[in-house]
Amino acid sequence: MTRMYPIFTDGKKFYHIEEFSPRGCRFAYFSKLKLREWNKKEKPDLDEEKAKIVFERWEKNRKELEE
């Protein structure tokens, strides 16, 4: 089975679970890449707009669940 690494966002940047404690951040997606490969391959493609979309979608879903 492939190991999956959680990626988190604070609405500005994405963070790999190996580099960051996700306090104050929301889960974004899973990556198959370890931190070193993730920094090389995926991180440059993860811009602020994508992070904001993920974070806002999470906020909206949370508010709907509370109602």
Side-chain angles (χ1 to χ4, degrees), residues 47-63:
D47 60 22
E48 193 171 323
E49 283 303 307
K50 288 181 188 174
K52 195 181 290 183
I53 289 166
V54 170
F55 195 78
E56 286 171 355
R57 192 179 305 141
W58 178 86
E59 293 263 273
K60 185 176 166 225
N61 288 343
R62 193 187 74 187
K63 285 177 186 164

Side-chain angles (χ1 to χ4, degrees), residues 4-17:
M4 301 297 275
Y5 299 93
I7 306 300
F8 294 89
T9 182
D10 60 5
K12 296 182 183 78
K13 290 172 59 184
F14 287 91
Y15 304 94
H16 194 285
I17 189 67

